[in-house]
Amino acid sequence: MHSEDTIAAIATAPGEGSISIVRMSGPDSLAIASKILRCAKPPLTERPSNTIVHGFVLDQGRDVDEVLVLVMRAPHTYTGEDVVELQGHGGTTSARRILRCALQAGARPAEPGEFTRRAFLNGRLDLVQAEAVLDLVRSSSDRAAEIALQQLEGRLSQILNSIYDNLVTVAADLAAAMDFPEDELHPQIGVNSTNTLKIVKKYIDRLLATWNEGRILRNGAMVVISGLANVGKSTLLNTLLEYDRAIVSPIPGTTRDFIEENFCLHGIPIRLVDTAGLRPSDCELEREGVRRAREQMLKADLHLYVLDASQPLSPVDAANIADRPREKCVVVLNKADLGLRVAPKDLPGHDAVVTSLLEKKGLDQLRMLMGAKIEISEMPALGEAGSHIAISERHRSLLLKAASEVEAALAMLNSGKEEDQFLASETIRTAVEYLALIIGRVYHDSLLDEIFSRFCIGK
Amino acid sequence: MHSEDTIAAIATAPGEGSISIVRMSGPDSLAIASKILRCAKPPLTERPSNTIVHGFVLDQGRDVDEVLVLVMRAPHTYTGEDVVELQGHGGTTSARRILRCALQAGARPAEPGEFTRRAFLNGRLDLVQAEAVLDLVRSSSDRAAEIALQQLEGRLSQILNSIYDNLVTVAADLAAAMDFPEDELHPQIGVNSTNTLKIVKKYIDRLLATWNEGRILRNGAMVVISGLANVGKSTLLNTLLEYDRAIVSPIPGTTRDFIEENFCLHGIPIRLVDTAGLRPSDCELEREGVRRAREQMLKADLHLYVLDASQPLSPVDAANIADRPREKCVVVLNKADLGLRVAPKDLPGHDAVVTSLLEKKGLDQLRMLMGAKIEISEMPALGEAGSHIAISERHRSLLLKAASEVEAALAMLNSGKEEDQFLASETIRTAVEYLALIIGRVYHDSLLDEIFSRFCIGK
């Protein structure tokens, strides 16, 4: 499985930091590092695993950066191969120059996710764990990070493997029963298989139920601010973000493009979108803004509809509010400081909050209501106590297919016909294949390409 | 000098990366790390220096992240103290959670630049080297990075120390000569001192000459794009940046706020500013844009004045061009694809380039001209061959003071009067104090606060 070439990439986030890391993995990591480094003796290639060496990276005799060199030898490394990390001074320029030296000395630029891909190919992680690495890097809340780490540590893999093993056993039992049709255990095998399949089905359903939480934790809940022009939408965005992101002016139509920003509300990552004011306009730019706003609104997990409550409820506002799904909408009755001519009771059946963004009033209530509306259902108990799982879209689509195979197999077993029992065994094997694809017991390069291309380079 | 408390901070840049680092420094680094880690035996506190240990960070018994632990023991560490680095999975959430654990276990959040400040206080770096750490992190071009690294390695310190030592010797010689006025070496001391001071003065002047390069490499050269509305300013910005940063539309006044972006031109970092179109406007927002544009223009190292060359030269354009300093201005004659009614010869004494941004013509010529206009003078030879130095604003202001003291001392020595010789010795001591402030042989907490507050946290 071991790769023949050695890959290199910058492993720290770009931008201003104190330390940046260039990481190499592959059989020539140590040799390449030796070529570009000036260190104290003994030479790098003779250093034991898990040691740190001080040195300088050289480019044609000139110092490029002062570094700490981390020597980690196969097989107990992230990738399972020889790994060298060069820790240089922070900033992008140093890291970029060190990487250039490594490439000139014979390393190949790593593809996105290639370090983790190698970890998978070398059996250090299964596919579900490898995916968790990306989730952990991308996690924008404690809750998301915890779920990702548990997945990385193998909690989800354990359940999937248990489902896999149970399905394999059932398929084998059914096949064996057919080989010895006169066996007296025969009826018992049917009952056992049915029971196991029912439990498996329950487990799959429980996993499927975690998908929505996974989706929100991975992608963030999309909250779209809309409303007529000049009612305070951008002010609401700035207030929720707690800094001035959007230009605010008394001139209607100030926000032309839609603005998207991220923040966390009660541990839930939120993608907050401020749309252009919904007013008909002769201006080409503004019309484009309104069109984009409508596009965003269709994808919303929650709508914040803002209106000027110091004015009587306009027919346009009333129509817009009626247009939004009630369970996904909070109406913000803003400008309460100018008097209140629309009250929550005027919008029966809708959740509404009276605010004065100018005086920063009503915000706690708004945040609480937003949290309650987005709040994801509590996790169904799964595996050992305290474990927390949230499957991804990829897991879901394969689990749905597996579930329908399991259901079909159950129906076949219920029919009591012998030929159906044979078919059930085959059907279960199909479900097993879907499980194998999730865990990565079976994979195609195209699947790996798809999964790892979403990683950053250096991971 | 050693600190009594242990500091901790995230040391990698925020954002999506593969690896993030939480760094601790201080006497309790190892003890604190042991409290929050689950690792294989032997315990962390018994591990030798410069070793890497695999483990898990724990928060109240729950795993927070899988980490590599770097153990580095005083005194041969960055800060000169015990240092522990926890390398976790990338992304901000993991790092933030690991840091929280370290703080709960007794570490104190590091102030900006506090690791480097400790390195300075523990004698691992002088002040000029410490400043180079920040320059290296911030460097946005190879050239800037090389200069910063040479400064970190001590090239500038070496010259400053040599100036310092020479001045101390001269001051001591002069003082000794006064103590023994009848000494026959007296006249010779005067001549020697004068010669040394002249050489010192020459060195200081050479250092001062590197300031402009330093300023541009540290802050970037500011290039301001201006011109009337709808001549292609935003298109020029996008073209130079090689991606679509600004919204471009046929509607005049599309760019309201000014846009600033960075890129590198021939190794020189450039801050490119696109201003709002300079047209009188009734719109409050646009008027504000024009006001801000004028503000930016005063700070420019180079102006790119764009006009529509398919139309005859307008009096407003002619006046605007005349308004800009010739040596700092390039006129971009755009829209050449629509015909050319203004040619470079119509703007005698100005550097002008014919372009068609639409057809991507004339761009190489424009880039070359920009580079030539900004190009910083070649470095005066200083110290050993190949060394490259660029002083900072702080160095400059202290060196200017030192230079004027040295000049004053030279004048005093020339006067031939004995009391002036005494004054010269005192004057040189003042120059020595300025040098001491640059290198950090003498410092006040307020100076350190000022220098290190510009660092990021974790450095």
Side-chain angles (χ1 to χ4, degrees):
Chain A
M1 275 297 189
H2 278 274
S3 317
E4 288 183 2
D5 54 356
T6 295
I7 54 174
I10 298 172
T12 38
E16 194 180 317
S18 305
I19 297 175
S20 59
I21 297 176
V22 171
R23 171 152 71 168
M24 285 191 275
S25 177
D28 300 325
S29 299
L30 283 159
I32 291 170
S34 300
K35 275 197 227 170
I36 63 171
L37 279 164
R38 169 163 69 84
C39 312
K41 301 215 160 182
L44 221 53
T45 45
E46 292 171 21
R47 301 266 180 172
S49 190
N50 293 329
T51 51
I52 305 165
V53 188
H54 174 265
F56 288 87
V57 174
L58 294 174
D59 183 13
Q60 297 169 338
R62 290 172 74 125
D63 288 356
V64 164
D65 202 359
E66 191 181 356
V67 291
L68 292 181
V69 188
L70 278 60
V71 175
M72 292 171 279
R73 291 177 179 275
H76 297 297
T77 65
Y78 183 67
T79 57
E81 308 172 335
D82 281 351
V83 171
V84 171
E85 279 183 24
L86 302 171
Q87 268 197 18
H89 286 91
T92 35
T93 305
S94 270
R96 195 172 40 74
R97 299 180 78 208
I98 294 173
L99 176 61
R100 201 164 56 200
C101 292
L103 299 181
Q104 278 165 358
R108 167 172 77 66
E111 306 282 329
E114 197 171 358
F115 290 89
T116 309
R117 187 177 186 147
R118 289 187 172 197
F120 166 70
L121 291 173
N122 293 326
R124 304 282 296 164
L125 300 168
D126 69 26
L127 207 48
V128 168
Q129 291 175 302
E131 289 175 305
V133 170
L134 182 64
D135 289 339
L136 190 54
V137 169
R138 294 258 165 93
S139 63
S140 54
S141 69
D142 283 10
R143 197 159 168 174
E146 263 170 33
I147 289 181
L149 185 66
Q150 295 204 1
Q151 184 172 324
L152 178 59
E153 291 181 345
R155 298 284 164 86
L156 177 54
S157 304
Q158 211 178 322
I159 296 169
L160 291 167
N161 278 314
S162 152
I163 293 174
Y164 178 95
D165 292 341
N166 274 294
L167 287 175
V168 167
T169 306
V170 171
D173 283 355
L174 290 174
M178 281 177 299
D179 288 344
F180 306 98
E182 304 317 316
D183 194 314
E184 56 187 15
L185 283 174
H186 195 172
Q188 192 51 42
I189 284 177
V191 173
N192 277 351
S193 298
T194 303
N195 285 343
T196 306
L197 287 184
K198 281 182 182 163
I199 296 172
V200 161
K201 180 66 175 39
K202 200 174 280 175
Y203 265 78
I204 294 181
D205 287 344
R206 281 182 182 174
L207 285 180
L208 285 169
T210 68
W211 167 75
N212 194 46
E213 170 161 18
R215 184 182 65 80
I216 287 183
L217 289 178
R218 284 182 182 89
N219 306 331
M222 184 156 174
V223 175
V224 174
I225 303 177
S226 59
L228 298 183
N230 209 25
V231 294
K233 295 185 297 298
S234 296
T235 307
L236 178 58
L237 176 102
N238 289 345
T239 307
L240 288 172
L241 294 178
E242 296 177 358
Y243 73 93
D244 283 353
R245 167 61 181 84
I247 299 181
V248 173
S249 89
I251 302 169
T254 301
T255 304
R256 282 176 171 181
D257 210 337
F258 69 86
I259 292 175
E260 179 173 330
E261 286 295 324
N262 300 302
F263 76 108
C264 250
L265 182 79
H266 311 322
I268 306 164
I270 306 272
R271 292 159 54 209
L272 191 62
V273 177
D274 179 19
T275 61
L278 298 170
R279 59 165 191 170
S281 170
D282 291 335
C283 169
E284 193 184 313
L285 276 172
E286 274 186 44
R287 274 207 308 274
E288 172 65 15
V290 171
R291 199 189 58 74
R292 290 192 189 189
R294 290 197 193 282
E295 228 174 64
Q296 291 299 312
M297 280 166 47
L298 291 176
K299 296 186 268 174
D301 291 301
L302 179 68
H303 296 273
L304 296 181
Y305 190 85
V306 190
L307 56 81
D308 179 352
S310 71
Q311 302 296 324
L313 186 66
S314 75
V316 187
D317 274 330
N320 281 339
I321 293 170
D323 207 30
R324 280 161 184 67
R326 287 184 178 200
E327 70 286 357
K328 285 189 181 180
C329 181
V330 172
V331 182
V332 181
L333 303 171
N334 191 30
K335 306 205 179 181
D337 45 292
L338 302 176
L340 199 64
R341 300 180 69 177
V342 189
K345 68 171 169 47
D346 301 326
L347 299 163
H350 278 95
D351 287 299
V353 184
V354 176
T355 65
S356 160
L357 294 175
L358 193 72
E359 299 179 349
K360 307 219 176 278
K361 283 183 182 157
L363 290 166
D364 286 339
Q365 205 195 336
L366 175 61
R367 287 202 184 90
M368 220 161 66
L369 196 51
M370 287 174 65
K373 285 259 174 187
I374 302 166
E375 188 57 277
I376 30 209
S377 60
E378 266 313 295
M379 250 296 299
L382 250 178
E384 54 186 289
S387 82
H388 208 149
I389 280 166
I391 63 166
S392 72
E393 182 55 41
R394 185 181 78 86
H395 307 152
R396 177 175 179 252
S397 75
L398 288 166
L399 278 176
L400 280 173
K401 288 179 184 168
S404 95
E405 299 296 331
V406 170
E407 257 176 67
L410 274 170
M412 290 166 190
L413 289 179
N414 276 342
S415 83
K417 284 183 234 160
E418 206 162 296
E419 63 272 27
D420 276 2
Q421 203 156 334
F422 172 74
L423 280 176
S425 170
E426 288 305 298
T427 305
I428 294 167
R429 281 190 202 285
T430 311
V432 166
E433 278 164 32
Y434 289 125
L435 264 301
L437 281 173
I438 301 180
I439 316 166
R441 293 193 188 212
V442 173
Y443 60 86
H444 307 289
D445 276 352
S446 62
L447 172 65
L448 298 191
D449 289 348
E450 196 190 309
I451 289 176
F452 291 107
S453 66
R454 294 184 302 128
F455 279 57
C456 52
I457 288 177
K459 187 77 237 180
Chain B
M1 276 297 189
H2 278 273
S3 316
E4 288 183 4
D5 54 357
T6 296
I7 53 174
I10 298 172
T12 38
E16 193 180 318
S18 305
I19 297 175
S20 58
I21 296 176
V22 171
R23 172 153 69 169
M24 284 191 274
S25 177
D28 299 326
S29 300
L30 283 159
I32 291 170
S34 301
K35 274 197 226 169
I36 62 171
L37 279 163
R38 169 162 72 82
C39 313
K41 302 217 159 177
L44 222 52
T45 45
E46 291 170 23
R47 300 267 180 172
S49 191
N50 293 329
T51 50
I52 304 166
V53 189
H54 175 265
F56 287 86
V57 173
L58 293 175
D59 183 14
Q60 297 168 339
R62 290 172 74 124
D63 288 355
V64 165
D65 202 359
E66 191 182 355
V67 291
L68 292 180
V69 187
L70 278 61
V71 176
M72 292 171 279
R73 292 176 179 273
H76 297 296
T77 65
Y78 183 69
T79 56
E81 308 172 336
D82 281 351
V83 171
V84 171
E85 278 184 23
L86 303 171
Q87 268 197 20
H89 285 90
T92 34
T93 306
S94 270
R96 195 172 40 73
R97 298 181 78 208
I98 295 173
L99 176 61
R100 200 164 56 200
C101 292
L103 300 181
Q104 279 164 358
R108 167 172 77 65
E111 305 282 328
E114 197 170 0
F115 290 89
T116 310
R117 186 176 186 148
R118 290 188 171 198
F120 166 70
L121 292 173
N122 292 326
R124 304 282 295 164
L125 300 168
D126 69 26
L127 207 49
V128 169
Q129 290 174 304
E131 289 175 304
V133 170
L134 182 63
D135 290 339
L136 190 54
V137 169
R138 293 259 165 93
S139 64
S140 54
S141 70
D142 284 11
R143 197 161 167 172
E146 263 169 34
I147 290 182
L149 185 66
Q150 295 204 2
Q151 183 171 324
L152 178 59
E153 291 181 344
R155 299 283 164 86
L156 177 54
S157 305
Q158 210 178 325
I159 296 169
L160 291 168
N161 279 312
S162 151
I163 293 174
Y164 177 96
D165 292 341
N166 274 292
L167 288 175
V168 167
T169 307
V170 171
D173 283 354
L174 290 173
M178 283 178 298
D179 289 344
F180 307 98
E182 304 316 316
D183 194 313
E184 56 188 12
L185 283 175
H186 196 174
Q188 192 50 43
I189 283 176
V191 173
N192 277 350
S193 298
T194 302
N195 285 343
T196 307
L197 287 184
K198 280 182 182 163
I199 296 173
V200 160
K201 180 68 177 38
K202 199 173 282 175
Y203 264 78
I204 293 181
D205 287 345
R206 282 182 182 173
L207 285 179
L208 285 169
T210 69
W211 168 75
N212 194 46
E213 171 161 17
R215 183 183 65 82
I216 287 183
L217 288 179
R218 284 184 182 88
N219 306 331
M222 183 155 172
V223 175
V224 174
I225 303 178
S226 59
L228 299 183
N230 209 25
V231 295
K233 295 185 297 300
S234 296
T235 307
L236 179 58
L237 176 103
N238 289 344
T239 307
L240 288 172
L241 293 178
E242 296 177 358
Y243 73 92
D244 284 353
R245 167 62 180 83
I247 300 180
V248 173
S249 88
I251 301 169
T254 301
T255 302
R256 283 177 170 178
D257 211 338
F258 68 86
I259 292 177
E260 180 173 328
E261 285 296 323
N262 300 301
F263 75 109
C264 250
L265 182 79
H266 310 323
I268 306 164
I270 305 274
R271 293 160 53 210
L272 191 63
V273 177
D274 178 18
T275 62
L278 298 170
R279 58 163 193 174
S281 171
D282 290 335
C283 169
E284 193 184 312
L285 276 172
E286 275 186 43
R287 275 207 306 276
E288 172 65 15
V290 171
R291 200 189 58 72
R292 291 191 187 189
R294 291 197 193 283
E295 229 175 63
Q296 291 299 312
M297 281 167 47
L298 292 175
K299 296 186 267 173
D301 290 301
L302 178 68
H303 296 273
L304 296 181
Y305 189 84
V306 190
L307 55 81
D308 179 352
S310 72
Q311 303 296 323
L313 185 66
S314 74
V316 187
D317 274 330
N320 280 339
I321 293 170
D323 207 32
R324 279 159 185 69
R326 286 184 179 200
E327 69 286 357
K328 285 189 180 180
C329 182
V330 172
V331 182
V332 181
L333 303 172
N334 191 29
K335 305 204 179 182
D337 45 293
L338 301 176
L340 198 65
R341 301 179 72 176
V342 189
K345 68 170 170 46
D346 302 326
L347 300 163
H350 277 96
D351 286 299
V353 185
V354 176
T355 66
S356 162
L357 294 176
L358 192 71
E359 297 178 350
K360 307 223 175 275
K361 282 183 183 157
L363 289 167
D364 286 339
Q365 206 195 334
L366 175 61
R367 286 201 185 92
M368 220 160 67
L369 197 53
M370 287 174 66
K373 286 259 175 187
I374 302 166
E375 188 57 278
I376 30 208
S377 59
E378 265 314 294
M379 251 295 300
L382 250 180
E384 54 186 286
S387 82
H388 208 150
I389 280 167
I391 63 165
S392 72
E393 182 56 42
R394 185 182 79 86
H395 307 151
R396 177 176 180 251
S397 74
L398 289 165
L399 277 176
L400 280 173
K401 288 180 183 167
S404 93
E405 299 295 332
V406 171
E407 257 177 66
L410 274 169
M412 289 166 191
L413 289 179
N414 276 342
S415 81
K417 284 183 233 158
E418 205 164 296
E419 65 271 29
D420 276 3
Q421 204 154 333
F422 172 74
L423 280 177
S425 169
E426 288 304 300
T427 305
I428 293 167
R429 282 190 200 286
T430 310
V432 166
E433 278 164 30
Y434 289 126
L435 264 301
L437 281 173
I438 301 180
I439 316 167
R441 292 194 188 212
V442 173
Y443 60 86
H444 307 288
D445 276 350
S446 61
L447 172 65
L448 298 191
D449 288 347
E450 196 190 310
I451 289 177
F452 291 106
S453 66
R454 294 183 302 128
F455 279 57
C456 52
I457 289 176
K459 184 81 238 180

